[in-house]
Amino acid sequence: TISSIMWRQRLSSAVVADNFGRQPSRCLAAPYLWHWRVNWKPKPALSEAEVPRDQRRLPIRPKVPTSNAGSLVSPGAKWHYTQSRAIFRGPELVHNKLIHKQFGVQALEAGVMLHNHFETIRMSLNRKLDLDRMFAVWRVDAPWMAGYKRPPGLTLGGGKRDPKFYKSPVKDERIILELGGNLDWQEAFRMLRQMAGYLPFKARFVSQEMLDFEQRYDQYVSEVNVNPFDFDFVRKHNLCNVERHLTPYAIKHGRRWW
């Protein structure tokens, strides 16, 4: 629109004026780098004592899980696991925080990750990493849960079929991967936003500041709330026989995870 074009022209002229008459870099065309607080100073390199150089890339995840003896399971072998949906329900209570306290990708709903999702993210992110000052780590286990396929028209029965592929279950609020090192949030957002789009479920870019702010906000809302009839109070005391309309998963995990 005309207003957006005028706003971009006004912003570009302000950037040029603030740059003492010099022409700005082409990187300023990105909307997340238009902010005047962007730090253009060179970042220091990581030392080998902090993170070894050979451990700064995302490693390859095996397509087939390993047995207890360490040998790969052949595709035709029966490596079965339970297909219960309970491992997807509810929030993630363990791997929902950033270990390195910098940046990462967080799942916003439950889902599964296949081997091709691991490979797409690994190849794309490793090309963008500056190994002198960045590193990335996985926070999700390699595919271990068996998946099955039945040909159309096949007669049912005959026992459980052999697994055709393996997958990794992911709960809501699970941290998928982390990005750390000497970098700003603009660089991390530019890379991790694209990685979140490769996932088969909704995900977002998060930083330690965002997680800390959300925790403080939830605590503030619970402290200043003057309405005693919240969801937990009504469910606990079963007001108006509300449990008749709730599922067992809503009673166990809360109203967000029905």
Side-chain angles (χ1 to χ4, degrees):
T1 60
I2 298 178
S3 59
S4 62
I5 296 175
M6 295 177 61
W7 180 80
R8 291 172 184 269
Q9 292 177 353
R10 191 181 305 113
L11 183 60
S12 62
S13 62
V15 171
V16 174
D18 187 63
N19 202 21
F20 301 102
R22 293 175 292 180
Q23 198 70 15
S25 173
R26 288 184 296 177
C27 296
L28 291 174
Y32 44 81
L33 293 181
W34 275 351
H35 201 276
W36 66 277
R37 292 185 181 273
V38 175
N39 184 12
W40 298 104
K41 296 181 179 180
K43 311 297 189 305
L46 290 173
S47 63
E48 289 289 336
E50 294 175 336
V51 181
R53 190 177 181 86
D54 56 348
Q55 299 180 8
R56 297 179 185 178
R57 294 178 181 269
L58 288 177
I60 300 177
R61 290 301 196 184
K63 192 174 184 179
V64 179
T66 58
S67 62
N68 295 331
S71 59
L72 291 177
V73 181
S74 60
K78 294 184 179 181
W79 194 260
H80 302 292
Y81 286 96
T82 175
Q83 296 296 308
S84 175
R85 306 295 297 181
I87 58 178
F88 298 93
R89 293 191 179 100
E92 177 63 45
L93 302 178
V94 179
H95 302 284
N96 57 356
K97 299 178 178 61
L98 296 174
I99 296 178
H100 300 281
K101 307 297 182 181
Q102 287 191 280
F103 312 101
V105 176
Q106 186 182 38
L108 296 179
E109 60 184 5
V112 296
M113 289 184 63
L114 303 179
H115 182 260
N116 57 348
H117 299 132
F118 284 97
E119 285 299 297
T120 302
I121 295 176
R122 182 187 66 85
M123 293 187 296
S124 179
L125 186 58
N126 286 345
R127 287 195 298 264
K128 302 176 184 299
L129 286 179
D130 185 0
L131 297 182
D132 293 334
R133 55 187 182 89
M134 301 179 188
F135 67 93
V137 292
W138 288 114
R139 292 292 305 277
V140 181
D141 298 332
W144 59 269
M145 186 177 180
Y148 303 90
K149 287 185 178 180
R150 184 180 63 86
L154 185 66
T155 304
L156 297 181
K160 201 175 189 68
R161 301 182 60 85
D162 293 335
K164 296 297 182 181
F165 59 92
Y166 294 90
K167 53 190 176 182
S168 297
V170 176
K171 283 188 175 183
D172 188 13
E173 298 183 356
R174 174 71 183 259
I175 300 296
I176 306 299
L177 60 92
E178 287 193 41
L179 179 64
N182 298 325
L183 73 163
D184 296 331
W185 71 268
Q186 291 91 347
E187 297 177 283
F189 175 77
R190 180 177 56 188
M191 293 186 289
L192 297 184
R193 180 181 61 172
Q194 184 179 2
M195 302 302 111
Y198 290 151
L199 295 171
F201 42 81
K202 293 182 181 179
R204 64 169 181 170
F205 161 81
V206 293
S207 64
Q208 186 62 35
E209 296 180 359
M210 293 173 56
L211 298 180
D212 294 341
F213 173 79
E214 292 176 357
Q215 184 178 4
R216 293 195 305 268
Y217 179 79
D218 294 339
Q219 183 179 2
Y220 170 78
V221 170
S222 62
E223 291 176 355
V224 303
N225 182 26
V226 296
N227 182 17
F229 299 99
D230 56 355
F231 179 82
D232 296 332
F233 181 85
V234 173
R235 177 190 56 81
K236 180 179 179 181
H237 298 277
N238 195 20
L239 300 182
C240 299
N241 195 16
V242 70
E243 290 187 358
R244 181 169 60 91
H245 305 281
L246 297 177
T247 63
Y249 310 108
I251 297 176
K252 179 180 179 181
H253 301 298
R255 61 177 178 177
R256 181 177 174 184
W257 298 276
W258 292 78

